[in-house]
């Protein structure tokens, strides 16, 4: 099977790594990929708008789309119209992520518990921009000052909802053919600083399994959250194929949905795929086969540039990846480039270091030991990923 992975971050490197291990794979391509992916795949320096033509030229059997932007813009529809199989939803189904208002409407119609919409903006509350905002469209407002700031910053249309409290978890469902298969629960860390301080980011780390939500609970959550939403989308003529990601909060009143995403989460994917035994590719290709979840734990630490999330970093030389890999970790590239044959930074989140082990504690030690092998000027990372 000839596969094309679309995207250039750590999530796509993890997907390419997992797919590259499949006995069913004959050729792996990426658009545009990154220097890490280039060790596993042929990289084509094209944007998402040129992917349908590239996939046709390559005669790709399957295109796996990483980021949400191209999906919301209709990339999967365009591929399917050309007779090319895509892992990723249609534009109509991707609205579950592309529009918060649509997601809420679908959840309410499906009877899936989520945050109540508030008629007036009053703290405590959460202000959410309606469209895609790359993690920057949400303001948690506990005080009048925070609310005033949010209302100044948010671009309409937006909505205001109740502020929920509790531990968060991410649950991914691979939806292909007629079925939905749950991956194990994972947790990510959105704030830049230790102890969940500082501004929101694309994600500073992740881990799985969770101490408070057993792997075995995933199926039950799928039944109460994902499947009703999948049925409602199908009823509306927008059946979902691809990865349906539920961001959930375990409140005192039970599990509530915070958001849906229409693609693999970054950086949860980097912790989840190393936990799987067996072959991911047939699953993505809509064939039979379930995932076998191992008892292995995985912890991902994101190495970011010194000014992240305010701005990214470019051109700073990176050292020590080989040593980190020799220590047993997986190192996925998120924002790197080659400059005159030298690996340099090229983005805010630069590398993802994944440690695995028999327990979360040993995976955590493996991840941090490996992270300490890597160096670039200004490098920062959280020290409390998977810290209980
Ligand atoms: P989202 O982009 O919807 O995932 O929101 C980003 C982050 O904002 C979430 O991971 C939560 O930590 C927080 N958040 C979003 N909605 C709520 C809510 N209703 N109550 C509390 N926190 C929220």
């Amino acid at each position: 099977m000839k596969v094309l992975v679309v995207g250039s971050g750590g999530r796509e490197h993890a997907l390419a790594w997992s797919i590259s291990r499949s006995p069913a794979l004959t050729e792996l391509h990426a658009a545009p990929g990154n220097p890490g992916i280039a060790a596993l795949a042929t990289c084509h320096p094209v944007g998402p708008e040129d992917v349908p033509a590239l996939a046709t030229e390559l005669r790709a059997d399957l295109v796996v789309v990483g980021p949400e932007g191209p999906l919301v813009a209709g990339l999967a529809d365009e591929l399917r119209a050309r007779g090319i199989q895509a892992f990723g939803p249609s534009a109509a189904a991707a609205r579950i992520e592309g529009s918060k208002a649509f997601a809420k409407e679908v959840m309410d119609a499906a009877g899936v518990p989520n945050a109540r919409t508030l008629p007036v903006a009053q703290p405590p509350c959460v202000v959410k921009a309606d469209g895609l905002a790359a993690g920057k469209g949400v303001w948690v407002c506990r005080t009048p000052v925070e609310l005033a700031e949010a209302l100044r910053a948010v671009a309409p249309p937006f909505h205001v909802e109740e502020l929920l409290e509790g531990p968060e978890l991410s649950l991914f469902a691979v939806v292909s053919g007629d079925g939905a298969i749950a991956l194990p629960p994972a947790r990510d860390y959105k704030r830049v600083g230790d102890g969940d301080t500082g501004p929101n980011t694309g994600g500073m780390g992740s881990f799985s399994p969770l101490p408070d939500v057993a792997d075995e609970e995933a199926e039950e959550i799928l039944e109460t959250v994902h499947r009703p939403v999948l049925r409602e989308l199908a009823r509306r003529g927008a059946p979902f194929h691809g990865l349906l990601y539920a961001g959930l909060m375990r409140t005192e009143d039970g599990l509530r949905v915070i958001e849906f995403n229409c693609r693999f989460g970054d950086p949860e994917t980097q912790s989840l795929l190393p936990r799987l035994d067996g072959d991911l590719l047939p699953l993505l290709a809509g064939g039979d086969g379930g995932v076998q979840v191992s008892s292995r734990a995985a912890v991902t630490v994101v190495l970011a540039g010194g000014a992240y999330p305010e701005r990214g970093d470019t051109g700073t030389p990176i050292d020590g990846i080989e040593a980190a890999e020799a220590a047993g970790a997986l190192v996925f590239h998120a924002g790197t480039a080659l400059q005159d044959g030298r690996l340099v930074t090229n983005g805010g989140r630069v590398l993802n270091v994944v440690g695995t082990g028999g327990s979360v504690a040993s995976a955590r030690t493996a991840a941090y030991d490996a992270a300490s092998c890597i160096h670039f000027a200004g490098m920062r990372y959280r020290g409390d990923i998977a810290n209980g």
Side-chain angles (χ1 to χ4, degrees):
M1 185 175 257
K2 211 184 266 189
V3 180
L4 171 61
V5 174
V6 177
S8 63
R11 162 185 54 205
E12 288 78 20
H13 191 176
L15 283 165
W17 168 78
S18 192
I19 292 167
S20 73
R21 295 151 63 94
S22 170
L25 183 75
T26 53
E27 271 178 45
L28 185 57
H29 296 265
N34 66 34
I37 295 172
L40 304 167
T42 306
C43 291
H44 304 266
V46 302
E49 62 288 353
D50 295 321
V51 163
L54 175 66
T56 305
E57 191 188 311
L58 292 171
R59 296 171 186 266
D61 298 300
L62 175 69
V63 180
V64 179
V65 184
E68 64 277 15
L71 291 167
V72 172
L75 177 55
D77 305 82
E78 218 181 309
L79 290 165
R80 290 188 186 114
R82 288 176 179 241
I84 300 165
Q85 200 184 358
F87 184 80
S90 66
R95 285 181 75 209
I96 196 78
E97 174 166 3
S99 165
K100 302 257 187 211
F102 176 74
K104 176 128 190 81
E105 196 185 302
V106 169
M107 280 189 276
D108 289 345
V112 172
N114 61 94
R116 258 183 314 122
T117 297
L118 300 179
V120 285
Q122 229 174 23
C125 66
V126 177
V127 174
K128 291 189 174 182
D130 188 56
L132 286 184
K136 294 195 177 107
V138 176
W139 290 265
V140 175
C141 311
R142 293 179 197 279
T143 64
V145 172
E146 284 173 346
L147 177 60
E149 269 168 25
L151 295 176
R152 235 189 337 265
V154 67
F158 64 91
H159 89 271
V160 182
E161 64 185 34
E162 70 179 311
L163 196 159
L164 302 171
E165 306 274 5
E168 289 183 43
L169 62 129
S170 306
L171 194 82
F172 297 1
V174 179
V175 186
S176 56
D178 293 330
I181 290 172
L183 300 188
R187 179 159 293 145
D188 75 335
Y189 292 77
K190 292 215 166 64
R191 302 288 185 133
V192 75
D194 283 18
D196 290 329
T197 54
N200 263 327
T201 68
M204 294 299 288
S206 65
F207 75 103
S208 178
L210 305 182
D212 52 338
V213 193
D215 285 354
E216 292 71 28
E217 286 182 63
E219 180 56 33
E220 195 184 316
I221 299 172
L222 201 72
E223 192 55 36
T224 52
V225 172
H226 298 68
R227 289 205 175 101
V229 160
L230 292 169
R231 280 193 293 270
E232 179 62 21
L233 285 171
R235 198 187 64 77
R236 290 169 179 242
F240 190 100
H241 302 284
L243 196 292
L244 183 62
Y245 162 141
L248 301 153
M249 195 174 268
R250 185 159 268 198
T251 72
E252 278 182 356
D253 302 327
L255 213 54
R256 304 279 195 93
V257 176
I258 290 185
E259 62 162 349
F260 277 108
N261 292 323
C262 67
R263 36 75 195 176
F264 280 95
D266 187 343
E268 293 98 319
T269 302
Q270 290 87 313
S271 288
L272 285 173
L273 298 185
R275 290 201 61 209
L276 304 182
D277 286 333
D279 194 350
L280 182 70
L281 185 52
L283 199 63
L284 300 182
D288 294 336
V291 286
Q292 294 154 25
V293 179
S294 73
S295 58
R296 220 164 23 251
V299 173
T300 300
V301 177
V302 172
L303 309 185
Y308 184 70
E310 222 163 84
R311 55 180 190 284
D313 193 82
T314 54
T316 307
I318 302 168
D319 291 305
I321 292 182
E322 298 74 16
E325 287 172 339
L330 289 160
V331 180
F332 294 128
H333 293 226
T336 67
L338 280 176
Q339 216 170 61
D340 303 324
R342 180 90 166 88
L343 191 73
V344 297
T345 60
N346 187 36
R349 293 187 293 168
V350 177
L351 294 167
N352 308 148
V353 181
V354 187
T356 52
S359 66
V360 170
S362 63
R364 180 176 190 278
T365 303
Y368 278 107
D369 283 352
S372 70
C373 299
I374 297 177
H375 177 76
F376 55 88
M379 178 175 106
R380 69 187 289 184
Y381 55 90
R382 278 183 65 158
D384 64 345
I385 305 301
N387 220 357

